[in-house]
Amino acid sequence: MKERAQELKASTRRPSRADRAAEDEAAVVAKIAEMRASDRVMAERLHAVIRESAPDLAPKLWYGMPAYARNGKIVCFFQSAQKFNARYATLGFNDEANLDEGTMWPTAYALKELTAADEERIAALVKKAVG
């Protein structure tokens, strides 16, 4: 919660939109760099896949996690395994993501590592989420 309070406080400053976007992306990259090796490798690849698949999503920190927003609302986020002492990291999608499929669909995915096939699937999910 402390991290979220700091994020909200930082967002109330009045830099230009471009400056704020650059600061937000730098904060995400810095947070990824702080992660332990296994989480960092996945987070770096996810960051690249998401930025390539949906360049209109804006990277920003959300509760201390790398997240990607559209119109200020979080579409997806990466939660490192280390953050909650879990055995796997998580790629999650919020309500803003257009992943609806019938009456039930997944909104979070456990990640232990990323293969090329996983990256393709994630790219497709992200494209669908913003579509």
Side-chain angles (χ1 to χ4, degrees):
M1 293 307 286
K2 287 180 186 179
E3 288 177 313
R4 181 66 178 148
Q6 290 172 341
E7 293 161 12
L8 290 171
K9 186 176 181 179
S11 71
T12 61
R13 290 178 286 148
R14 298 277 184 210
S16 72
R17 188 173 289 189
D19 288 345
R20 185 175 312 155
E23 287 175 8
D24 286 346
E25 179 142 20
V28 167
V29 170
K31 182 57 80 173
I32 290 170
E34 293 173 4
M35 293 177 185
R36 69 177 175 208
S38 58
D39 287 339
R40 185 177 58 251
V41 168
M42 279 192 291
E44 288 170 345
R45 285 303 310 139
L46 278 173
H47 182 73
V49 167
I50 292 168
R51 297 297 284 150
E52 291 168 15
S53 302
D56 58 321
L57 289 181
K60 63 188 296 178
L61 289 179
W62 184 62
Y63 294 99
M65 298 178 284
Y68 303 85
R70 178 176 50 197
N71 299 325
K73 295 183 180 181
I74 302 300
V75 173
C76 60
F77 60 91
F78 175 75
Q79 178 181 299
S80 71
Q82 181 181 7
K83 185 162 182 75
F84 294 107
N85 238 358
R87 66 183 181 94
Y88 53 81
T90 305
L91 171 64
F93 292 88
N94 279 353
D95 291 357
E96 188 68 18
N98 297 318
L99 295 176
D100 304 34
E101 214 170 270
T103 59
M104 187 171 99
W105 57 90
T107 59
Y109 296 84
L111 304 171
K112 292 201 65 135
E113 63 180 82
L114 286 179
T115 65
D118 296 331
E119 289 180 15
E120 285 181 32
R121 184 170 178 205
I122 289 166
L125 280 168
V126 170
K127 287 176 184 176
K128 182 177 180 182
V130 297

